[in-house]
């Protein structure tokens, strides 16, 4: 869309229509999970906001548009965390607001994209509220965040809230097929990413992903086994791989779910579609009750990890209980 990677065309079209109608707010919140191209959407929206030709924004021809596309428009300012800091504090916000009082260089508007609303401290958010008192007309803030609750209600209620939901499997598939024409795991990736297109980038970039998946999935029959000695083998794996225990449990849960949907007659809903043979064996070897019980124990193990119980202990506990 206008050369930007956008997964929510309806939302952006709507926002752009409003600009063309001369309707524009001083603050927007782009909320949604990681991996949905919210930042790219914010860049396109900012681009349209500063275009010289309001009725046809973004015209893609004016000086402002050309600079926006190149990422060099001085009237679009991206605000992230400062060097060596993990948050944006009062000082950072005050500096931004002081700068915001200077008129745009040459565009009609001046747009600040706050890359991560979740790292703005509550005190800094309070300082930010000053902006809403008498904002200059040219000023627009786009706050990108994962959860709206990360922002104070006083900010939320004064901004236009734009919610980015997970997208359809077709959009994810399109993204993967265009970007990775040689990828052979497309069906699996589409299901695994579950509506978050950029999740595919992370998986494809990880060389160890398939090895991990193989190893983790091979633990499932061990956890389900009546022979409890196998529970110790699962625990051994988690002892060696404690840092990725949470992800490993997610993989196990998906695999158990695959076996369940297969035994209930909906094999088309399987996520690990490249492991159908093994899933069929699981589905025919264990009752749905047993698979569900296993899933419950894995959910419990995940909770234990959150409470800092050793990963190996959680796996052993799950293996003995299932
Ligand atoms: Zn333009």
């Amino acid at each position: 869309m206008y050369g930007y990677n956008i997964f929510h065309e309806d939302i952006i079209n709507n926002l752009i229509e409003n600009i063309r109608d001369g309707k524009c707010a001083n603050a927007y919140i782009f909320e949604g999970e990681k991996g949905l191209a919210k930042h790219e959407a914010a860049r396109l929206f900012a681009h349209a906001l500063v275009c010289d030709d309001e009725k046809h924004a973004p015209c893609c021809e004016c000086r402002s548009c050309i600079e926006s596309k190149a990422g060099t428009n001085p009237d679009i300012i991206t605000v992230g965390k400062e060097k060596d800091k993990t948050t944006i504090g009062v000082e950072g916000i005050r500096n931004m607001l002081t700068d915001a009082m200077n008129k745009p260089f040459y565009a009609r508007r001046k747009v600040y994209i706050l890359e991560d609303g979740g790292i703005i401290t509550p005190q800094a958010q309070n300082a930010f509220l000053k902006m809403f008192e008498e904002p200059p007309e040219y000023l627009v803030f786009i706050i990108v965040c994962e959860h709206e609750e990360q922002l104070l209600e006083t900010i939320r209620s004064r901004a236009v809230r734009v919610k980015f939901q997970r997208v359809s499997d077709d959009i994810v598939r399109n993204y993967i097929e265009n970007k990775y024409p040689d990828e052979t795991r497309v069906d699996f990736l589409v299901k695994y990413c579950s509506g978050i297109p950029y999740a595919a980038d992370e998986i494809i970039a990880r060389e160890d992903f398939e090895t991990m998946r193989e190893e983790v999935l091979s633990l499932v029959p061990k956890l389900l086994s009546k022979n409890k000695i196998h529970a110790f083998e699962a625990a051994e794996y988690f002892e060696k791989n404690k840092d990725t225990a949470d992800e490993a449990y997610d993989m196990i849960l998906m695999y158990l779910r695959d076996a369940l949907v297969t035994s209930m007659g909906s094999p088309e809903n399987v996520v690990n579609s490249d492991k159908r043979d093994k899933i069929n064996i699981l589905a025919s070897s264990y009752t749905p009750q047993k698979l569900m019980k296993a899933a419950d124990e894995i959910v419990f193990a995940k909770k234990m990890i959150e409470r800092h119980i050793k990963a190996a202990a959680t796996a052993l506990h799950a293996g003995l209980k299932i």
Side-chain angles (χ1 to χ4, degrees), residues 47 50-53 57-66:
H47 175 166
V50 298
C51 169
D52 292 342
D53 186 355
C59 75
C60 298
E61 284 170 6
C62 70
R63 174 181 169 182
S64 201
C65 275
I66 290 164

Side-chain angles (χ1 to χ4, degrees), residues 238 242-247 249-250 253 296-315:
F238 278 89
K242 31 175 118 63
D243 295 342
T244 50
D246 196 52
E247 187 185 11
Y249 278 138
D250 283 339
L253 272 176
D296 285 346
E297 289 302 334
I298 298 300
V299 170
F300 182 74
K302 266 174 73 77
K303 281 190 189 141
M304 289 296 106
I305 282 191
E306 275 168 32
R307 290 161 65 175
H308 308 293
I309 308 283
K310 275 190 174 173
T314 64

Side-chain angles (χ1 to χ4, degrees), residues 114-115 117 149 275:
L114 288 110
E115 279 185 316
E149 294 72 30
K275 313 274 184 214

